[in-house]
Amino acid sequence: MRLAVFASGNGSNFSAIQEAILSKELSADIACVICDQKDAGIYQRAKDAGIPIYYFDIKTFSSKKEYEKAIIAPLDKEMVELIILAGYMRIVGSTLLEAFPKRILNIHPSYLPAFPGKQGIRDAFEAGVDQTGVTIHIVDEGVDSGPILAQEKLPILSTDSLATLEAKIHGIEHRLYSKTIQDYINQLKTRRTYDTSIN
Ligand code: GRF
């Protein structure tokens, strides 16, 4: 299965997925990375891994539709079958959703539906709740709202700082995303499922 990883920042989830591929825990290839931010940490990571990275600046397009149409060109060229959002800080529009129906996954750093949006870890920490978590879901037209594929809870301890909480969340993400991608690929391949929503 040929994956495209979409990212806007550091890229630690990209690296964790790439490591899972190299260790054969995940049977897939990252065909390319799509990035919408200049100078993001993921550039060096993609370069080190020898994976092509394509940069798109939305400001240079007349509309989101044109921006997403431009992104589809390298995805077709690289024969991408599944899109993996990993810190892509943009709402996916109808152009990409229609080109890749039920073929876009996202990871979110909270136990959805609690704390959707850009600052899931900080929002949970500042709300003073006693647990948060990680969610992986199929992307739909909403914000962090598509069908959930996997979730893991994490208690927030009185000794936690925002930094320790972030580190724990990322630790879960790096383990859970590759496993969930593999499970989803297996479902897509065998279609041995009673959930008709992915067929
Ligand atoms: C992760 O916490 C992910 O859940 C969120 O953005 C962060 C990306 O981290 N959507 P990284 O760029 O993969 O290190």
Side-chain angles (χ1 to χ4, degrees):
M1 183 72 67
R2 291 177 67 76
L3 314 178
V5 173
F6 282 37
S8 306
N10 174 25
S12 69
N13 279 283
F14 159 81
S15 293
I17 293 165
Q18 178 64 3
E19 278 164 30
I21 290 169
L22 294 176
S23 66
K24 305 210 185 303
E25 287 157 57
L26 173 55
S27 168
D29 286 307
I30 302 179
C32 62
V33 172
I34 302 291
C35 184
D36 66 335
Q37 295 297 324
K38 242 193 175 118
D39 305 322
I42 192 154
Y43 279 90
Q44 192 60 44
R45 293 175 184 269
K47 199 173 160 211
D48 291 347
I51 292 173
I53 180 161
Y54 297 88
Y55 167 63
F56 293 91
D57 178 0
I58 197 165
K59 294 193 291 296
T60 65
F61 295 89
S62 56
S63 64
K64 186 161 194 171
K65 187 180 175 67
E66 292 305 316
Y67 163 77
E68 292 197 337
K69 270 166 70 180
I71 289 176
I72 289 170
L75 300 182
D76 283 343
K77 178 175 160 246
E78 305 283 356
M79 293 185 295
V80 167
E81 301 168 275
L82 185 63
I83 294 175
I84 304 299
L85 306 186
Y88 179 65
M89 303 304 280
R90 208 168 279 287
I91 296 164
V92 175
S94 57
T95 308
L96 267 169
L97 285 168
E98 282 162 21
F100 288 84
K102 299 185 179 80
R103 295 256 177 166
I104 308 178
L105 306 187
N106 182 43
I107 188 160
H108 183 75
S110 78
Y111 202 88
L112 290 171
F115 307 111
K118 285 189 173 176
Q119 302 194 108
I121 306 175
R122 178 180 289 273
D123 290 346
F125 185 75
E126 289 179 353
V129 293
D130 60 7
Q131 63 177 18
T132 183
V134 170
T135 302
I136 294 158
H137 65 95
I138 302 172
V139 174
D140 66 9
E141 51 291 325
V143 177
D144 302 322
S145 64
I148 290 172
L149 297 173
Q151 283 188 297
E152 192 168 313
K153 283 184 178 157
L154 175 70
I156 303 178
L157 309 178
S158 58
T159 49
D160 270 323
S161 62
L162 180 58
T164 63
L165 186 61
E166 280 171 349
K168 289 187 212 175
I169 290 274
H170 293 315
I172 295 172
E173 289 186 330
H174 296 164
R175 174 169 47 73
L176 193 62
Y177 212 2
S178 299
K179 185 190 176 303
T180 307
I181 294 167
Q182 183 65 67
D183 290 346
Y184 194 62
I185 289 172
N186 294 345
Q187 278 191 54
L188 288 173
K189 282 192 168 159
T190 65
R191 295 178 187 265
R192 212 184 311 117
T193 174
Y194 296 99
D195 176 7
T196 52
S197 68
I198 70 155
N199 287 320

